């Protein structure tokens, strides 16, 4: 090969070595083999070469062309391989690494308590019943043996909703979940075993009262139901819910128009430390009683054949006690810091406590 051809070979080898990616490589290829490439130019000029030298020059050019083509192809192959290596390295996944946890929402303590109650009472054979927030005064009061002008209507600080419904009844925001007792008894034949979680409303607003709050109601109707069933059911529930197998539970005589006899239920705690269990002090936690025969009759159930018990409790109150939440108001403020602190992971199952 003549010097000019050797120089072109050397130059091209250097340019190929310097081409770090496929774009640079392609520029070298075009500069050498393209239509106005350096080798193409030399081939075009072959015609001008003196006839006696043409043969040797042609052979040398062919040899060079083969060498350059081979070098160019080889460089392409090595650049492609390097690109693939780099991609494989950068895209490598370690499938054994633990997953990064995506931020998720948390379960509000009220929802969590409702879930726990559903789990505990569910295990005792209770179903869940629901009713509307806007009730009529017959279901909220009358059917529950709270006649017009009964003082209990005042006690409840009722929100009256303007307008009378089709049955001529005053509409109210339900002041307790007890109207769902009435709905359930009217809609389903005994035996009945339901709990009723839901929103309730009273015109009351201070540090310990919210105009909207939550209750859970319980209703059991069957043959031969006694106070013993009520006591056993509520003791089991309270000990399971608070996770204290020895939680002291006291039944204290009380009055509700819709139960007879009626009992308030207290649990043991330490007033000074706020700790539940021992401590010698009592904390009122729920209302209960044997369903009043008049209520059964109002709901089309024969009280000589069927008996039952009912109970109702505030969900915020038991939630605050269980988790040591000191203030009621943040329950409804959606403050993300409070929710992060008191919220529950959606993946943590509602645990039932051992031994209960
Ligand atoms: N409804 C009552 C209240 O809101 C609670 C209760 C329910 C009492 C069922 C006895 C039976 O205070």
């Amino acid at each position: 090969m003549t010097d000019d051809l050797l120089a072109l070979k050397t130059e091209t080898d250097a340019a190929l070595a310097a081409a770090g990616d496929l774009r640079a490589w392609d520029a070298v290829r075009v500069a050498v083999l393209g239509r106005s490439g350096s080798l193409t130019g030399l081939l075009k000029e072959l015609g001008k070469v003196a006839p006696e030298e043409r043969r040797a020059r042609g052979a040398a050019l062919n040899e060079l062309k083969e060498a350059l083509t081979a070098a160019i192809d080889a460089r392409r192959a090595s650049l492609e391989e390097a690109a693939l290596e780099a991609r494989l390295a950068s895209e490598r996944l370690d499938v054994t690494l633990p997953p990064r946890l995506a931020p998720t929402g948390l379960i509000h303590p009220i929802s969590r308590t409702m879930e726990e109650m559903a789990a505990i009472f569910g295990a005792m054979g209770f179903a869940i019943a629901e009713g509307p927030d806007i009730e009529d005064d017959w279901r909220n009061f009358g059917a529950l043996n709270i006649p017009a002008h009964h003082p209990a209507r005042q006690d409840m600080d009722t929100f009256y909703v303007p307008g009378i419904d089709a049955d001529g009844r005053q509409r109210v925001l339900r002041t307790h979940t007890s109207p769902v007792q009435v709905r359930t008894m009217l809609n389903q034949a005994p035996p009945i075993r339901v709990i009723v979680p839901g929103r309730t409303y009273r015109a009351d607003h201070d540090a310990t009262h919210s105009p909207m709050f939550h209750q859970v109601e319980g209703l059991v109707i069957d043959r031969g139901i006694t106070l013993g069933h009520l006591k056993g059911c509520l003791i089991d529930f309270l000990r399971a819910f608070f996770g204290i197998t020895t939680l002291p539970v006291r039944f204290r005589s009380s009055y509700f128009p819709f139960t007879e006899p009626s009992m308030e239920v207290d649990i043991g705690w330490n007033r000074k430390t706020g700790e539940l269990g021992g401590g010698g002090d009592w904390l009122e936690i729920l209302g209960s009683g044997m369903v009043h025969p008049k209520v059964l009759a109002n709901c089309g159930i024969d009280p000589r054949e069927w008996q039952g018990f009912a109970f109702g409790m505030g969900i915020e109150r038991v939630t605050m006690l269980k988790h040591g939440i000191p203030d009621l108001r943040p329950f409804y403020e959606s403050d993300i810091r409070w929710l992060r602190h008191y919220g529950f992971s959606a993946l943590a199952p509602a645990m039932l406590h051992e031994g209960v």
Side-chain angles (χ1 to χ4, degrees), residues 176 178 181 202 215 217 256 258-259 287-288 310-312:
H176 49 180
S178 301
Q181 286 190 33
R202 291 183 199 177
Q215 284 191 338
E217 190 85 8
F256 298 101
F258 34 92
T259 49
S288 69
F311 56 89

Side-chain angles (χ1 to χ4, degrees), residues 200-215:
T200 48
Y201 304 84
R202 291 183 199 177
D204 208 351
H205 200 187
D206 60 34
T208 55
H209 294 91
S210 153
M212 187 282 299
F213 57 106
H214 298 77
Q215 284 191 338

Side-chain angles (χ1 to χ4, degrees), residues 220-270:
V220 171
I221 307 283
D222 208 332
R223 293 190 177 87
I225 295 289
T226 71
L227 207 56
H229 295 114
L230 179 160
K231 291 177 75 175
C233 175
L234 290 178
I235 291 171
D236 279 358
F237 163 72
L238 290 168
R239 290 179 175 171
F241 179 75
F242 288 109
I244 305 172
T245 48
T246 55
L247 183 71
V249 180
R250 178 174 80 171
F251 292 81
R252 184 166 37 79
S253 170
S254 184
Y255 173 76
F256 298 101
F258 34 92
T259 49
E260 182 59 37
S262 301
M263 283 168 304
E264 230 118 32
V265 184
D266 303 336
I267 57 173
W269 78 320
N270 183 326

Side-chain angles (χ1 to χ4, degrees), residues 33-332:
L33 302 177
R35 267 212 294 149
S36 28
S38 40
L39 182 69
T40 317
L42 292 174
L43 285 167
K44 278 184 199 155
E45 284 163 10
L46 190 59
K48 293 181 200 154
V49 173
E52 59 278 15
E53 288 169 22
R54 203 175 289 161
R55 202 185 159 88
R57 178 73 173 172
L61 278 172
N62 270 335
E63 192 189 326
L64 177 62
K65 186 178 178 182
E66 262 169 48
L68 288 178
T69 306
I72 287 171
D73 288 349
R75 183 65 181 148
R76 179 196 178 120
S78 80
L79 283 172
E80 278 176 350
E81 196 178 321
L84 180 63
E85 288 296 331
R87 210 177 120 201
L88 288 175
S90 74
E91 292 179 2
R92 187 166 63 192
L93 284 181
D94 183 348
V95 294
T96 66
L97 284 176
R100 249 175 256 151
L101 291 180
T104 53
L106 294 168
I107 306 290
H108 193 283
I110 300 222
S111 308
R112 172 68 175 202
T113 293
M114 287 182 175
E115 281 173 18
E116 287 177 355
M117 290 182 172
I120 295 168
F121 283 111
M124 296 186 199
F126 284 72
I128 296 199
E130 284 180 310
D133 292 12
I134 299 178
E135 269 295 359
D136 58 68
D137 63 356
W138 183 75
R139 288 185 177 86
N140 194 80
F141 295 122
L144 291 166
N145 198 31
I146 314 175
H149 312 300
H150 190 285
R153 293 207 184 192
Q154 254 74 65
D155 287 354
M156 296 249 195
D157 300 312
T158 312
F159 283 113
Y160 289 91
V161 179
I164 304 286
D165 72 13
D167 300 319
R169 292 170 182 161
Q170 173 68 52
R171 285 187 295 181
V172 300
L173 294 185
R174 64 179 178 191
T175 58
H176 49 180
T177 41
S178 301
V180 188
Q181 286 190 33
V182 177
R183 288 181 175 273
T184 307
M185 287 190 272
L186 286 171
N187 289 334
Q188 122 185 29
I192 292 169
R193 226 182 278 192
V194 291
I195 58 163
V196 183
R199 293 184 178 210
T200 48
Y201 304 84
R202 291 183 199 177
D204 208 351
H205 200 187
D206 60 34
T208 55
H209 294 91
S210 153
M212 187 282 299
F213 57 106
H214 298 77
Q215 284 191 338
V216 66
E217 190 85 8
L219 176 69
V220 171
I221 307 283
D222 208 332
R223 293 190 177 87
I225 295 289
T226 71
L227 207 56
H229 295 114
L230 179 160
K231 291 177 75 175
C233 175
L234 290 178
I235 291 171
D236 279 358
F237 163 72
L238 290 168
R239 290 179 175 171
F241 179 75
F242 288 109
I244 305 172
T245 48
T246 55
L247 183 71
V249 180
R250 178 174 80 171
F251 292 81
R252 184 166 37 79
S253 170
S254 184
Y255 173 76
F256 298 101
F258 34 92
T259 49
E260 182 59 37
S262 301
M263 283 168 304
E264 230 118 32
V265 184
D266 303 336
I267 57 173
W269 78 320
N270 183 326
R271 190 179 298 281
K272 282 202 202 78
T273 63
E275 207 181 324
L276 300 178
D281 300 315
W282 292 104
L283 189 65
E284 181 190 318
I285 202 95
L286 57 85
S288 69
M290 303 305 291
V291 179
H292 198 295
K294 278 196 190 167
V295 175
L296 292 171
N298 287 342
C299 300
I301 292 178
D302 184 349
R304 287 164 304 184
E305 189 179 352
W306 303 98
Q307 299 75 40
F309 65 85
F311 56 89
M313 75 190 105
I315 291 185
E316 283 80 347
R317 184 166 162 74
V318 295
T319 305
M320 289 167 76
L321 285 170
K322 178 165 176 171
H323 302 294
I325 302 175
D327 191 354
L328 175 71
R329 285 166 291 196
F331 272 90
Y332 317 108

